[in-house]
Amino acid sequence: MTSSGSSLIQMVEAQVEPPYPPDYEVRALREIATELGKKDWNYNENPCNNKSSWFTPPPPPNVPEAINNSTVTCNCSFPNGECHIDGIFTRH
């Protein structure tokens, strides 16, 4: 209790890592990377986390987009908690 008699509640925001996509989808990414000549995708990182080598954030306003832009997008809204790759956007 605080001095005012109300209880003190501390809220903590948990950041949960999304699940990895199925192995067959990651193998497909490796094949696509080979075809595109991509060498910057890190297969030790989760391609669905939007904060790794799999994601190129958009540039700030009035700044040109990166030449080697590549982003893998996932859908993690499946009922069983799975993530599946649903898009690859690349420009080089």
Side-chain angles (χ1 to χ4, degrees), residues 8-71:
L8 178 63
I9 300 172
Q10 182 179 19
M11 298 186 69
V12 178
E13 182 180 325
Q15 300 248 340
V16 178
E17 181 81 12
Y20 274 71
D23 287 342
Y24 66 89
E25 292 182 13
V26 176
R27 283 193 303 271
L29 283 176
R30 286 181 184 271
E31 291 178 25
I32 291 166
T34 299
E35 288 292 318
L36 294 175
K38 299 275 310 154
K39 296 182 184 343
D40 61 338
W41 284 347
N42 182 349
Y43 296 96
N44 294 318
E45 292 182 337
N46 183 348
C48 293
N49 70 9
N50 286 339
K51 58 182 177 185
S52 65
S53 67
W54 301 97
F55 177 75
T56 303
N62 301 321
V63 174
E65 192 167 328
I67 293 173
N68 198 13
N69 176 16
S70 60
T71 297

